[in-house]
Amino acid sequence: MSSAVIINFAYIASALAFVFGLKMLGSPATARKGNALSAIGMLLAIVVTLLDQQILTFTWIAVAVLIGSVIGVLTARLVAMTSMPEMVALFNGFGGAASLLVGWAALFGGEASSFVAITIVLSVLIGGVTLSGSLIAWAKLSEKMPGKAITFKGQAFVNGLIVLTLVLNAIWFVQQPVGDSVYLYAVIGVSLVFGIMLVIPIGGADMPVVISLLNSYSGLAACAAGFVLNNNLLIVSGALVGASGIILTNIMCKAMNRSLANVLFSGFKAVKTSTAKVEGEIKPINCEDAYLVLEAASNVVFVPGYGMAVSQAQHVVRELADHLENNGCQVRYAIHPVAGRMPGHMNVLLAEASVPYDQLVEMDAINPQMDQVDVAIVIGANDTVNPAATEDQGSPIYGMPVIQVANARTVFVLKRGMNAGYSGVENPLFYKDNVRMLFGDAKHSVQTIAGEFAA
Amino acid sequence: MTPELQQIVYLSFILMLAIFLGFELIAKVPATLHTPLMSGSNAISGITLVGALVSAGAEQTAMATWLGAAAVTLATINVVGGYLVTDRMLAMFKKKSSGGAQ
């Protein structure tokens, strides 16, 4: 058997490992094994590729793999769970950059047909957009640059010009595809600029959408590189990743009741302002009284937001939950799909605090049961529980599905002050009859209540 | 059909099937696991490493070697970092019965 045949059989095995690995990611019980299976598939693909006779410069590869592994291991070990979105964004960018370079390097392999030239342009273009877009997303998420939408006059015109330049240079390049083509340099440069332009007008609250979209792009870039190299495994794996990114993007968009186009271009539009008047009065409560209510409760739902995770309050929340459970109370956590900075981020943050995953309930599952809940405790969440989304047609978040905490018998809102949330929208929830405001640092408040239980 | 055209059709066929398979697989993943799914699938996108290895080793021009080596480094970060951090996350997911706390 020739080595090409062996390699291709091994690639089939790798593809199978990826498929089953992803399938096993469908349940928390098997997910870890699934991830390991997928990693084994990757290892197999890499090892057999190295067996290929074409490969002669092992020194290069060894050095490059060593450097990459050290960086990879260190980042994976050291990253804080709250910074997971930044890290995924950065890794997406690296994946995109690698695909860009692979496409480019393939040009030096000899004559490129028009088809190969087109796929090279695609992998360079998608890779470039993924790289610079991801770097901007990383900078925004890690607050190295302002998180809000950046717009300027004539932005649409500039973007149109960028697309035109890209198309023209791509066409010129395909007509004469050589490695040092100025047109290719132009495509690389302009696609990097394009990636930046795509992400700067997107505000912080929409970041989960951007992250999953970039994830999809990094898959598509690998897919395009697969076409360049005529490699099935790259095409299949790239398509799997591309599909996963698209699905998550779609889920995020639905959770915010917006279309993808709306998220991508919302920075260009004026923000709607609500005209609705909020009526009623704020009713504060202190920790002692909150404890008395909780002590009598038999069904409590926590509604956590990103604010809780940033202040690392999830650990004391779990402590309070343990006390409640020892007291014979059913405890659950209601998770809004866009809580956190990337899809499913809140689940990871709670898992870090050893919250059992079977207590995490998705929005659609908890909402119909809300009226049987004794106490809903809102911590650091604001927009995802805002009843204006269902009641006030003039509100900018109108139509967004929210966790209907107001249907619970009693609601505690833990908050520092009366500031509006991330979206800057006033929250009529605070004025409802069954809502009590527990002002102060959430971590401290929860700790105090937990202390009452322990006493 | 020219051989190249045949190749394009064949590759597109694979692409189409893989996209459908991807949608089927991933649509079933619960929201709880979306972050690990994303970082895990991101690690898979590091499969570009295989392409990078071919470019780095093909011993063509110095330029191709440099580009390939850079691609191998970046893709390795993606693969190694992606799989490890996914594992780290998934290790934290615990069921109540398995002694949840700590």
Side-chain angles (χ1 to χ4, degrees):
Chain A
M1 254 196 321
S2 74
S3 64
V5 175
I6 299 173
I7 289 172
N8 275 299
F9 270 114
Y11 282 175
I12 293 175
S14 298
L16 270 177
F18 293 151
V19 168
F20 278 105
L22 282 174
K23 192 174 162 56
M24 287 164 81
L25 266 178
S27 149
T30 55
R32 203 170 173 198
K33 279 185 200 134
N35 185 55
L37 181 62
S38 165
I40 291 169
M42 181 66 73
L43 186 68
L44 177 67
I46 293 165
V47 170
V48 295
T49 308
L50 289 173
L51 294 178
D52 193 335
Q53 314 255 305
Q54 259 188 317
I55 293 181
L56 297 165
T57 46
F58 273 112
T59 358
W60 273 107
I61 291 169
V63 171
V65 166
L66 192 71
I67 298 174
S69 302
V70 170
I71 299 176
V73 171
L74 287 179
T75 17
R77 281 276 166 82
L78 300 177
V79 66
M81 286 299 142
T82 39
S83 315
M84 192 56 67
E86 287 100 293
M87 202 215 63
V88 170
L90 208 55
F91 281 179
N92 272 334
F94 290 162
S99 297
L100 185 162
L101 296 173
V102 168
W104 188 3
L107 264 183
F108 297 91
E111 280 290 286
S113 68
S114 333
F115 172 69
V116 171
I118 290 170
T119 56
I120 287 176
V121 167
L122 277 177
S123 71
V124 166
L125 168 66
I126 306 173
V129 168
T130 311
L131 169 61
S132 59
S134 299
L135 288 178
I136 297 291
W138 167 77
K140 281 195 170 198
L141 285 165
S142 55
E143 286 164 11
K144 299 228 171 356
M145 66 182 277
K148 59 181 200 307
I150 297 172
T151 51
F152 54 86
K153 235 182 136 194
Q155 201 158 11
F157 177 74
V158 172
N159 285 338
L161 214 60
I162 289 175
V163 174
L164 187 70
T165 322
L166 268 178
V167 172
L168 282 179
N169 279 293
I171 293 172
W172 289 328
F173 165 75
V174 170
Q175 283 166 346
Q176 211 179 23
V178 288
D180 53 358
S181 162
V182 274
Y183 303 123
L184 184 67
Y185 294 144
V187 170
I188 294 173
V190 179
S191 60
L192 290 174
V193 176
F194 194 39
I196 297 172
M197 295 299 287
L198 278 177
V199 181
I200 55 167
I202 299 175
D206 290 335
M207 272 302 148
V209 180
V210 178
I211 304 279
S212 49
L213 196 61
L214 288 167
N215 188 41
S216 179
Y217 286 171
S218 76
L220 295 179
C223 207
F227 273 91
V228 173
L229 299 171
N230 217 332
N231 186 313
N232 290 335
L233 184 60
L234 259 68
I235 295 177
V236 172
S237 327
L240 292 176
V241 179
S244 100
I246 296 282
I247 288 179
L248 293 177
T249 308
N250 191 29
I251 290 172
M252 292 294 104
C253 285
K254 269 197 198 143
M256 298 190 294
N257 188 39
R258 302 169 67 181
S259 69
L260 184 56
N262 188 297
V263 171
L264 293 179
F265 303 112
S266 63
F268 299 106
K269 284 188 301 195
V271 182
K272 267 212 280 189
T273 43
S274 172
T275 48
K277 269 253 183 279
V278 180
E279 285 175 2
E281 60 173 318
I282 298 266
K283 290 168 289 293
I285 191 171
N286 59 28
C287 290
E288 288 75 38
D289 293 342
Y291 161 71
L292 292 176
V293 176
L294 284 173
E295 217 234 325
S298 60
N299 194 333
V300 169
V301 170
F302 287 98
V303 185
Y306 187 67
M308 178 206 72
V310 168
S311 64
Q312 291 284 309
Q314 71 267 41
H315 298 278
V316 284
V317 167
R318 208 214 69 239
E319 209 179 298
L320 175 59
D322 288 347
H323 285 303
L324 286 167
E325 287 197 306
N326 291 338
N327 198 29
C329 173
Q330 186 194 15
V331 177
R332 284 172 300 175
Y333 299 78
I335 313 289
H336 191 276
V338 292
R341 290 290 181 270
M342 71 188 287
H345 192 200
M346 187 56 65
N347 304 75
V348 172
L349 297 171
L350 290 172
E352 194 193 7
S354 307
V355 171
Y357 63 77
D358 35 9
Q359 285 182 358
L360 308 183
V361 191
E362 288 173 37
M363 174 177 69
D364 293 334
I366 198 85
N367 271 343
Q369 301 172 31
M370 238 349 153
D371 50 358
Q372 292 145 36
V373 170
D374 291 328
V375 187
I377 306 176
V378 180
I379 310 170
N382 213 341
D383 300 330
T384 56
V385 294
N386 193 337
T390 45
E391 293 164 359
D392 175 13
Q393 295 209 11
S395 169
I397 61 167
Y398 179 72
M400 174 173 139
V402 289
I403 297 176
Q404 288 149 11
V405 285
N407 292 346
R409 290 189 189 103
T410 309
V411 183
F412 293 160
V413 178
L414 276 62
K415 222 168 145 26
R416 273 174 207 284
M418 284 306 295
N419 296 333
Y422 216 53
S423 71
V425 185
E426 179 84 38
N427 197 337
L429 173 72
F430 307 153
Y431 303 89
K432 294 207 184 266
D433 285 339
N434 57 340
V435 176
R436 300 285 176 276
M437 304 298 289
L438 184 50
F439 288 115
D441 176 57
K443 193 174 175 179
H444 183 254
S445 305
V446 174
Q447 222 154 16
T448 312
I449 302 174
E452 296 271 344
F453 270 102
Chain B
M1 270 205 307
T2 65
E4 193 185 23
L5 198 59
Q6 225 160 16
Q7 189 68 15
I8 296 171
V9 172
Y10 161 72
L11 293 178
S12 310
F13 205 81
I14 290 177
L15 173 65
M16 190 196 71
L17 289 176
I19 290 174
F20 271 99
L21 182 61
F23 276 119
E24 282 301 312
L25 282 174
I26 289 146
K28 294 195 183 84
V29 176
T32 304
L33 290 168
H34 279 167
T35 291
L37 168 69
M38 195 174 281
S39 80
S41 75
N42 183 41
I44 295 179
S45 81
I47 189 67
T48 261
L49 175 57
V50 167
L53 287 173
V54 177
S55 320
E59 203 164 88
Q60 295 142 352
T61 62
M63 184 68 172
T65 310
W66 275 109
L67 293 176
V72 170
T73 310
L74 291 170
T76 309
I77 298 176
N78 200 342
V79 169
V80 174
Y83 278 119
L84 285 180
V85 87
T86 308
D87 187 64
R88 197 180 136 200
M89 273 191 271
L90 290 171
M92 299 185 312
F93 280 87
K94 285 182 205 98
K95 233 185 154 147
K96 182 79 191 159
S97 50
S98 68
Q102 305 309 317

